[in-house]
Amino acid sequence: MRSVYAGLMTGTSLDGIDGVLASFDDTGFTLLHHAFAPFPQNLREELSQLVAASQIDFTTWARTEQALSLFYAEHLEKLCLQLPDNSQLIAAGCHGQTLEHRPELGFSLQMLNPALIAERTGQHIVYGFRQRDLAAGGQGAPLVPAFHLAYCASAENSRILVNLGGIANITWLPNKKECLGFDTGPANTLLDSWYQYLGLGNYDQDGRYAASATCDTELLHELIDDPYFRAPPPKSTGREKFNLTWLENKIGKSRLASLDPASVMATLVELTCLTLSQAIHQLDPEAQSGIFIAGGGAKNHFLMQRLKEHLAPRLCQSSRALGIAEDQMEALAFAWLAFAFLNGHNANLPAVTGAQHPVPLGQLCPGRARSWL
Ligand SMILES: Nc1ncnc2c1ncn2[C@@H]1O[C@H](COP(=O)(O)OP(=O)(O)OP(=O)(O)O)[C@@H](O)[C@H]1O
Ligand SMILES: [Mg+2]
């Protein structure tokens, strides 16, 4: 019988928490339930300030970590209501909120108090997934490609999985054995930041605002001229690099203020599509791979339309074609990482993260005393 795990993910877009319940064994998985809860506006604002802060005061840190961890605990409890019996859950893989990702320093910081979640829910919490890979010389990211290789690869057809999260990343699966994956550059985090800066809301619903303008080609060329896009993999990035300060530094504050804001939005969409499609063309020059798209950006119609145009003639489909909805992929991968950790499997892919060797990923904060193996 397959064992049930939860996966809880709060990504760089700061939109909220995705949680899944899924059962796994070494041959497959069954997705049992998915639920998303948006961050309360004050928690979103506090996290957003902490991500942007150059100095952090411990009182703010303590309050925000407490609020975030309680938010995780509440979401986990709601997920567990879907099970006939709470004790059916083996463990929950909880990612935490990345505040700083600095692989060049061997450092990646995910805010979370697993003890508080374990105390509130009584469940075993697996967390701290990135540290061991970093300790082994890797980027600590991306970790989801290992899940893709385990469950989404095909022996017959080459596949590329795209995640349009806060950052855009790709996983290349030429067959069931090989895998490459890396962050290609900014996606929703920069789009959302610009939209929020303009005071228009949290995000550009369906990409309507971006679609109302045309791309500024000169601006696009300036933005794409960045060492990150030219660097070979392994590479990973985050909101600490691709943010409004990056945009201002690239083109100057006063010039940015003089541009049509909708055209800047359209240009940022184009930047995501171009950096992604250039990476895909390099991996798959003969356009033989099927493309599967996940992440919140898959709901942005304008972004999807432009991306499909860039990637033609490749067939672009939603990750639903693989049995996983767009917003379930990352949380499902962290449920699987908890499963892999507790079953003694190494879960990083050195070809992806650049680590010196395979390592187990995670740390355990036990809930109530009970055997889980
Ligand atoms: N209907 C929509 N129209 C446009 N954009 C949308 C829509 N729905 C979601 N999004 C975008 O998706 C984002 C959330 O995506 P997602 O949850 O995949 O990112 P994330 O939490 O940063 O995850 P990751 O860990 O992959 O970085 C939102 O902030 C928003 O920009
Ligand atoms: Mg999210």
Side-chain angles (χ1 to χ4, degrees), residues 190-215 247 256-257 259-270 299-303 305-306:
L190 207 49
L191 302 179
D192 291 353
S193 297
W194 181 244
Y195 198 72
Q196 288 162 15
Y197 168 76
L198 298 174
L200 298 173
N202 286 332
Y203 65 84
D204 181 16
Q205 185 85 33
D206 304 332
R208 283 183 221 140
Y209 183 62
S212 72
T214 49
C215 168
L247 190 60
L256 186 58
L259 297 173
D260 168 24
S263 171
V264 174
M265 193 82 202
T267 309
L268 293 177
V269 168
E270 204 60 19
K299 296 183 189 156
N300 182 328
H301 299 322
F302 181 60
L303 177 62
Q305 180 200 322
R306 289 299 302 135

Side-chain angles (χ1 to χ4, degrees), residues 119-278:
E119 181 61 24
R120 287 293 167 120
T121 63
Q123 299 292 350
H124 298 316
I125 307 301
V126 185
Y127 67 103
F129 290 97
R130 304 193 185 274
Q131 277 61 39
R132 185 65 184 273
D133 183 80
L134 286 157
Q139 297 272 312
L143 301 181
V144 179
F147 171 74
H148 292 157
L149 180 63
Y151 295 114
C152 302
S154 151
E156 291 82 41
N157 306 306
S158 170
R159 291 177 171 172
I160 292 178
L161 277 77
V162 172
N163 174 43
L164 291 170
I167 296 294
N169 35 61
I170 54 172
T171 304
W172 184 51
L173 302 164
N175 47 52
K176 280 192 123 171
K177 289 198 176 116
E178 291 171 84
C179 177
L180 258 187
F182 55 93
D183 291 346
T184 57
N188 297 316
T189 179
L190 207 49
L191 302 179
D192 291 353
S193 297
W194 181 244
Y195 198 72
Q196 288 162 15
Y197 168 76
L198 298 174
L200 298 173
N202 286 332
Y203 65 84
D204 181 16
Q205 185 85 33
D206 304 332
R208 283 183 221 140
Y209 183 62
S212 72
T214 49
C215 168
D216 179 330
T217 328
E218 195 187 331
L219 175 62
L220 179 65
H221 284 135
E222 287 170 64
L223 295 181
I224 212 159
D225 182 20
D226 187 283
Y228 185 83
F229 303 128
R230 292 189 293 271
K235 59 179 178 176
S236 58
T237 188
R239 203 181 163 106
E240 56 289 311
K241 173 168 173 74
F242 290 109
N243 52 38
L244 285 187
T245 310
W246 175 81
L247 190 60
E248 281 172 6
N249 289 344
K250 276 268 170 214
I251 55 167
K253 226 174 178 170
S254 56
R255 187 157 150 248
L256 186 58
S258 72
L259 297 173
D260 168 24
S263 171
V264 174
M265 193 82 202
T267 309
L268 293 177
V269 168
E270 204 60 19
L271 179 70
T272 296
C273 295
L274 196 56
T275 47
L276 241 172
S277 59
Q278 282 179 349

Side-chain angles (χ1 to χ4, degrees), residues 9-18 36 39 165-166 296 327:
M9 179 68 194
T10 47
T12 42
S13 301
L14 298 177
D15 55 327
I17 191 164
D18 278 298
F36 170 77
F39 280 136
D327 41 7

Side-chain angles (χ1 to χ4, degrees), residues 24 29 143-153 161 324 328-330 332-334 336-337 347 349:
F24 295 93
F29 69 89
L143 301 181
V144 179
F147 171 74
H148 292 157
L149 180 63
Y151 295 114
C152 302
L161 277 77
I324 306 168
Q328 296 172 348
M329 184 71 85
E330 299 267 309
L332 181 61
F334 280 89
W336 174 74
L337 283 168
L349 294 175

Side-chain angles (χ1 to χ4, degrees), residues 69-153:
S69 304
L70 290 175
F71 190 64
Y72 263 78
E74 266 173 41
H75 204 63
L76 180 54
E77 278 182 330
K78 274 189 212 147
L79 286 173
C80 286
L81 291 177
Q82 301 296 318
L83 295 170
D85 173 4
N86 248 357
S87 67
Q88 276 191 345
L89 191 79
I90 303 288
C94 296
H95 179 266
Q97 186 62 52
T98 299
L99 295 187
E100 190 81 15
H101 181 65
R102 300 282 295 277
E104 73 282 8
L105 302 175
F107 180 81
S108 187
L109 176 62
Q110 282 73 47
M111 174 181 263
L112 195 72
N113 181 351
L116 191 53
I117 310 174
E119 181 61 24
R120 287 293 167 120
T121 63
Q123 299 292 350
H124 298 316
I125 307 301
V126 185
Y127 67 103
F129 290 97
R130 304 193 185 274
Q131 277 61 39
R132 185 65 184 273
D133 183 80
L134 286 157
Q139 297 272 312
L143 301 181
V144 179
F147 171 74
H148 292 157
L149 180 63
Y151 295 114
C152 302

